[in-house]
Amino acid sequence: MFGTSLEAATTDRFALQNDKMLRVHLDGEVLARQGSMVAYQGEMSFAHQGSGGVQKFLKKAFTGEGVPLMKVTGRGDLFLADDASEVHVVTLEGDSITVSGRNVLAFDTSLQWDIRRVEGASMMAGGLFNTVFTGVGQLAITSFGPPVILDVDQPTYADAQSAIAWSSTLQTAAKSSMSAGALVGRGSGEAMQIAFSGQGFVIVQASEGPRIVQQNG
């Protein structure tokens, strides 16, 4: 019964239990999205994690991009998920990656992170503030549906809500088109894309994110 859903037999620190659940083999601490714990085995404690200093706190408060984090400390196996979104593990070896804050699931405390704005984006444009991770360690990100990894070998554009991660070496700029809003975006207003150039990759999810149901009356 449920033979294919048995606990993964691996000692890797970050491992996929399945395509929608992350297993962290914990012996120390890890940072994870608040509310993402679905189960754990062993002895662990959970604590609210601050924004990482005054500068990050101000950026988080102003942009709304900051990730609501918890610090998990202990030993054992920690299972994380986010609304049955697909989970992907990225290993950094001294390099960096930029990730949309809403797609961050968990990461090693050895990684440095900061909030940055897409160049050319209005300070009031939602979804154009992202989190840059740098250093040595692992990071788990989520996507709505299977993503595509685009090699930026020509001018590349992605919907601002669909681009979930990209090489931090890429140059980015905001591109908007009011007239195309009804054609290329979910809504009927302004279409907002991120333009990428340089050498690197962009990860694009198969959705603009969960739909928000409007309440009438």
Side-chain angles (χ1 to χ4, degrees):
M1 184 178 183
F2 303 114
T4 59
S5 300
L6 295 177
E7 183 178 349
T10 176
T11 58
D12 292 343
R13 178 168 167 79
F14 277 31
L16 295 181
Q17 174 61 38
N18 54 56
D19 61 356
K20 301 181 189 305
M21 187 180 298
L22 175 72
R23 176 191 176 189
V24 181
H25 187 64
L26 191 61
D27 186 6
E29 60 185 26
V30 69
L31 292 174
R33 174 176 292 277
Q34 290 181 21
S36 62
M37 187 277 291
V38 295
Y40 68 92
Q41 294 178 303
E43 297 295 329
M44 299 185 190
S45 61
F46 300 80
H48 172 76
Q49 175 68 19
S51 301
V54 175
Q55 184 178 18
K56 287 182 183 175
F57 175 79
L58 292 175
K59 288 182 180 179
K60 177 179 178 180
F62 184 74
T63 67
E65 175 62 19
V67 186
L69 295 174
M70 61 181 178
K71 178 182 287 187
V72 187
T73 306
R75 298 185 64 182
D77 292 318
L78 172 67
F79 297 88
L80 304 172
D82 184 15
D83 199 26
S85 296
E86 291 198 357
V87 181
H88 309 272
V89 176
V90 178
T91 300
L92 297 182
E93 299 178 346
D95 46 349
S96 65
I97 188 173
T98 301
V99 184
S100 170
R102 61 186 172 273
N103 297 94
V104 175
L105 180 63
F107 58 94
D108 281 322
T109 56
S110 58
L111 294 176
Q112 295 81 49
W113 60 281
D114 195 12
I115 299 171
R116 297 182 188 173
R117 180 170 63 93
V118 172
E119 292 297 326
S122 165
M123 296 297 287
M124 300 305 292
L128 296 187
F129 293 90
N130 302 282
T131 307
V132 180
F133 293 90
T134 306
V136 177
Q138 289 185 295
L139 165 74
I141 64 177
T142 60
S143 70
F144 287 95
V148 60
I149 301 177
L150 302 177
D151 183 19
V152 181
D153 54 2
Q154 57 184 314
T156 301
Y157 305 86
D159 182 273
Q161 305 300 318
S162 299
I164 63 174
W166 58 85
S167 304
S168 297
T169 53
L170 291 175
Q171 292 78 53
T172 60
K175 182 178 184 293
S176 63
S177 175
M178 183 68 73
S179 61
L183 303 177
V184 301
R186 175 178 294 170
S188 58
E190 182 179 25
M192 182 67 66
Q193 300 99 42
I194 302 177
F196 300 92
S197 59
Q199 296 294 321
F201 64 86
V202 180
I203 304 176
V204 182
Q205 66 182 3
S207 171
E208 292 180 336
R211 293 184 179 274
I212 300 175
V213 179
Q214 300 293 334
Q215 300 292 333
N216 297 323

